Amino acid sequence: MDDYINLEASEHFELKTWARLLPYLKPLTPRLISVVVVMILSAVVDAAIPLFTQYAVNHFVVPQTTVGLSGFAWFYLAVILFQALTTVLYSRQSMVIEMKMGRHMKEECFTHLQKLPVSFYNATPVGYLLARIMSDTNRIGGMIAWTGAMFCWYVFYMLGMIVSMLIINARMALIVLAIVPVFIVFTRIFQPKLLQASYAMRHANSKIITSFNENINGAKTSKILVIEDKNCSEFSGITEEMYRASLRETRLNAVFQPLILFIGSMAVAMVLYYSGVQVMAGSLDFGVLSAFIAYAIAILDPISHVTRFVSEVLMAQVNIERVTSLLAQPCTIEDRPEIEEVYGDVFHPKVENWPKIDGAITFRNVWFRYPDAPEDDYVLENISITIPAGSTVALVGETGAGKTTFVNLACRFFEPTDGSILIDGTDYKERSQLWLHSNLGYVQQSPHLFLGTLRENLLYGKLDATEEEILKAAKLSRVDVLAEKLEDGFQTEVGEGGDKLSSGEKQLVSIGRAIIADPPIFVLDEATSSIDTETERLIQDAIANVLHGRTSFIIAHRLSTIRNADLILLIDGHSIVEQGTHEALMRKKGKYYKLYMAMMIRDESEQSGFKMK
């Protein structure tokens, strides 16, 4: 998991990394320019404020007169109002920049995620994706809108003060600036240590969030396994890590901040000493003294922020790299441009050009290995078989034999490493993915239901389904029986992930959702595993209703889903070792016979257990 939440910054500024933000910055160019202009004007005015103090001291305080004071006061008020106006303009524009940039990046990330294949989600943790889409995009937007704008202000504020001091009194200006190298040295010593402590805190914080997420999602499992004490012990270790990192940063700041104050005080002391001598000698007026004291106090703040900005930039580079690497994640299963031109893509389907699917599927010398697997580590090897349209195919074999991979290849969730797969005689790469997936009903072993009502979850199978189609699908899948048991019927809230329903009830809804679009190809991935016998009967009735006339794949878990199949495929050793009907394979008394007898003993044992209870 640490690979996914790595927060260490780059050691050097990389222009090419920041150049990746240009597509997001281009639409915001007028706003960015306006922010820069406003910040420059604001910085120049702020740098000139001590000059107003100098004027007031020399013209009103020292001579003890109020002549011209009202005009000065009105002018000074206008300056203050201008400062307030620039602050409002800067805040409004920066807020819009942050929100628009964040929104644009989030939308692009979300859209790209819709295009990525199933294999990407199999290998990528959800927390990894959420961190990029939410935290990283927010940090990038904030960096550009606020930190970048403030950097501009601090740079011009610092330059304005230096120029003002040199104009007023060059010798005193050099005295004030002499303290700057000392400040930079201490900053260079402490800043990397503070940055490292900040990394450690953020890393520990990510682990805390991950732990919270894991323990909330696995709360039921934790209680069943009685591992609450272990969870608390592990969480305590993570919070201890956070505590130590926070304590280290606090201790460093406890030394660094007083040092900064001390250096600033030294600058003021040097100004007071030198200017005091000059004032006593009559070669320096009190106005200049007051202005330089103000500059000596203020000069270190912008230098500190400019130095810190370098660290912020290096930290932000990590966020940019994480987001852009997600957006650069290749779509390993992608339709060719000419295919999209004819059939459309997932966002712009050209349904009118889609050919009708009968459901005949042919595997022709298919080899498959996962993209990140060694070259000789094949999951399936040299698979050749033709499945007639409307056939029911049961896949059996040991766990990990490749049954689900076989089905995923047929559904084009993966593509063959070698060989080809044909749908109705045509290589399915010559059709769009959406064409195939829209003609596919898939019931997973552990189905996911969306937050909403029973009816809304059925509609996910066909968003524009009529009430008649909803009721028909509910009847075929026996969801109507489920709805009758529930107090609110089809308007019952299923909860997050369908947690308000049992595993079997979720399977029924999943079957209903899959068949509402009347797909010609149907997949049941061990749909009757780990459920009670009463619900299994309902599911078996639903399956019997649904499979008729469709090309169906059943990844078998129980005997009842095997015997009636038109074709049984036994996958072992990465290939199909036996195939045929149940009766034919039983007469052969080969591997299927042994596997079936073992399954029969297991099922009888389970049924005996139910009877005893």
Side-chain angles (χ1 to χ4, degrees):
M1 179 58 70
D2 288 349
D3 291 339
Y4 296 110
I5 57 177
N6 179 26
L7 297 173
E8 292 186 5
S10 306
E11 294 183 359
H12 306 288
F13 176 80
E14 296 179 1
L15 183 60
K16 64 179 182 179
T17 299
W18 289 87
R20 298 174 189 172
L21 296 181
L22 291 177
Y24 307 100
L25 295 174
K26 190 174 180 180
L28 300 170
T29 300
R31 293 185 183 275
L32 289 168
I33 293 174
S34 68
V35 167
V36 171
V37 171
V38 166
M39 297 310 285
I40 291 174
L41 293 174
S42 175
V44 170
V45 171
D46 288 342
I49 292 297
L51 300 180
F52 286 85
T53 305
Q54 176 191 357
Y55 183 89
V57 170
N58 287 339
H59 290 80
F60 306 119
V61 177
V62 174
Q64 297 184 354
T65 178
T66 58
V67 177
L69 181 61
S70 60
F72 173 82
W74 281 110
F75 184 75
Y76 191 74
L77 177 62
V79 171
I80 298 301
L81 291 174
F82 177 79
Q83 284 181 304
L85 178 63
T86 57
T87 301
V88 171
L89 290 174
Y90 150 70
S91 299
R92 285 174 61 89
Q93 294 288 60
S94 293
M95 195 176 298
V96 172
I97 290 170
E98 181 184 20
M99 294 299 106
K100 285 198 171 185
M101 191 167 182
R103 176 187 176 185
H104 188 182
M105 297 184 79
K106 286 181 176 68
E107 286 181 344
E108 188 164 342
C109 286
F110 190 85
T111 300
H112 187 64
L113 287 174
Q114 308 307 303
K115 301 176 183 178
L116 294 176
V118 173
S119 56
F120 172 79
Y121 294 97
N122 288 345
T124 310
V126 174
Y128 169 86
L129 299 175
L130 289 176
R132 276 147 182 72
I133 297 173
M134 300 305 296
S135 301
D136 289 344
T137 56
N138 287 340
R139 183 167 177 78
I140 293 168
M143 178 71 189
I144 297 297
W146 300 98
T147 310
M150 287 307 299
F151 172 76
C152 179
W153 183 88
Y154 279 116
V155 167
F156 282 94
Y157 180 49
M158 181 173 60
L159 292 175
M161 285 193 290
I162 292 172
V163 170
S164 298
M165 286 190 291
L166 290 171
I167 292 174
I168 297 172
N169 191 308
R171 184 172 295 179
M172 286 185 63
L174 293 175
I175 292 173
V176 173
L177 295 175
I179 208 73
V180 171
V182 179
F183 171 78
I184 292 175
V185 168
F186 278 108
T187 302
R188 293 280 293 179
I189 293 171
F190 278 89
Q191 201 66 45
K193 299 180 186 297
L194 287 166
L195 194 59
Q196 188 179 15
S198 178
Y199 292 153
M201 285 176 59
R202 291 174 62 188
H203 186 71
N205 186 59
S206 295
K207 291 168 75 174
I208 288 173
I209 292 172
T210 300
S211 181
F212 264 117
N213 180 64
E214 187 176 69
N215 280 280
I216 290 171
N217 288 332
K220 293 179 182 178
T221 304
S222 294
K223 292 187 178 299
I224 292 169
L225 298 175
V226 197
I227 56 172
E228 293 92 341
D229 185 58
K230 175 180 175 294
N231 292 341
C232 288
S233 177
E234 290 179 351
F235 189 76
S236 179
I238 298 172
T239 54
E240 176 69 18
E241 183 181 335
M242 180 71 167
Y243 166 76
R244 291 184 180 279
S246 302
L247 191 61
R248 174 171 170 75
E249 186 184 46
T250 302
R251 286 172 175 169
L252 286 168
N253 274 313
V255 176
F256 181 60
Q257 295 301 330
L259 269 176
I260 298 303
L261 292 174
F262 175 74
I263 294 170
S265 299
M266 287 293 294
V268 174
M270 290 168 63
V271 168
L272 284 172
Y273 174 77
Y274 178 80
S275 59
V277 173
Q278 296 296 312
V279 169
M280 293 298 292
S283 60
L284 188 71
D285 57 57
F286 283 101
V288 173
L289 173 62
S290 63
F292 265 88
I293 291 174
Y295 283 130
I297 295 172
I299 189 69
L300 297 183
D301 187 52
I303 296 174
S304 174
H305 280 83
V306 169
T307 307
R308 192 182 307 164
F309 177 79
V310 176
S311 300
E312 292 288 333
V313 166
L314 295 178
M315 291 174 69
Q317 275 188 182
V318 177
N319 303 108
I320 297 171
E321 288 165 358
R322 283 158 53 120
V323 171
T324 53
S325 66
L326 172 60
L327 291 171
Q329 185 69 35
C331 297
T332 54
I333 300 178
E334 205 168 15
D335 295 328
R336 301 195 307 275
E338 59 269 26
I339 300 299
E340 286 190 356
E341 181 66 27
V342 176
Y343 300 108
D345 58 25
V346 67
F347 299 110
H348 309 92
K350 297 179 181 179
V351 182
E352 65 278 5
N353 295 337
W354 290 1
K356 182 179 178 296
I357 288 183
D358 292 325
I361 301 175
T362 300
F363 280 64
R364 186 178 291 170
N365 306 120
V366 170
W367 294 68
F368 177 77
R369 61 177 169 79
Y370 291 101
D372 56 349
E375 288 189 8
D376 58 346
D377 188 10
Y378 284 93
V379 180
L380 293 175
E381 299 177 357
N382 199 26
I383 302 293
S384 293
I385 189 169
T386 296
I387 298 167
S391 302
T392 297
V393 180
L395 295 133
V396 297
E398 299 294 340
T399 301
K403 304 185 296 294
T404 300
T405 302
F406 182 96
V407 171
N408 284 336
L409 284 167
C411 297
R412 205 183 171 190
F413 295 145
F414 302 111
E415 288 181 342
T417 306
D418 290 301
S420 58
I421 297 176
L422 286 63
I423 305 289
D424 296 336
T426 302
D427 190 326
Y428 65 10
K429 292 182 182 179
E430 299 301 319
R431 302 282 188 266
S432 72
Q433 296 177 68
L434 188 61
W435 163 79
L436 176 57
H437 296 163
S438 296
N439 286 282
L440 175 69
Y442 201 116
V443 180
Q444 297 172 303
Q445 182 178 356
S446 301
H448 175 84
L449 300 188
F450 295 95
L451 195 64
T453 65
L454 200 64
R455 183 180 186 278
E456 289 168 343
N457 271 276
L458 288 174
L459 280 171
Y460 276 110
K462 185 180 180 183
L463 296 176
D464 59 349
T466 64
E467 197 65 30
E468 182 181 351
E469 289 173 323
I470 294 172
L471 294 175
K472 181 181 178 181
K475 185 175 182 180
L476 284 172
S477 62
R478 307 306 300 270
V479 173
D480 58 339
V481 177
L482 169 62
E484 289 175 1
K485 297 179 181 179
L486 301 173
E487 184 177 349
D488 296 323
F490 286 100
Q491 298 305 318
T492 300
E493 293 286 339
V494 301
E496 186 176 357
D499 284 347
K500 291 185 178 180
L501 303 179
S502 69
S503 297
E505 290 169 341
K506 285 195 287 186
Q507 287 286 12
L508 288 174
V509 178
S510 180
I511 292 172
R513 181 175 63 189
I515 68 173
I516 194 169
D518 194 22
I521 301 174
F522 209 83
V523 177
L524 292 163
D525 188 352
E526 301 195 25
T528 59
S529 64
S530 305
I531 58 173
D532 59 89
T533 52
E534 182 182 351
T535 308
E536 183 186 358
R537 287 193 204 98
L538 288 175
I539 292 177
Q540 292 296 343
D541 289 345
I543 290 173
N545 292 331
V546 168
L547 300 189
H548 181 69
R550 307 175 200 272
T551 302
S552 308
F553 294 94
I554 301 174
I555 298 178
H557 178 79
R558 294 191 175 177
L559 299 178
S560 52
T561 58
I562 299 175
R563 284 191 289 255
N564 297 326
D566 299 316
L567 177 65
I568 296 171
L569 304 179
L570 173 60
I571 300 178
D572 185 49
H574 313 300
S575 60
I576 298 172
V577 295
E578 292 184 7
Q579 58 179 297
T581 62
H582 170 71
E583 291 77 13
L585 292 175
M586 290 298 288
R587 286 195 299 269
K588 189 176 179 182
K589 291 192 175 183
K591 288 187 176 183
Y592 173 79
Y593 174 83
K594 294 176 182 178
L595 179 65
Y596 181 85
M597 296 305 292
M599 292 173 70
M600 181 178 289
I601 293 171
R602 183 202 63 196
D603 280 10
E604 288 177 354
S605 176
E606 287 181 1
Q607 290 176 6
S608 298
F610 286 136
K611 289 177 181 178
M612 289 177 66
K613 292 178 182 177

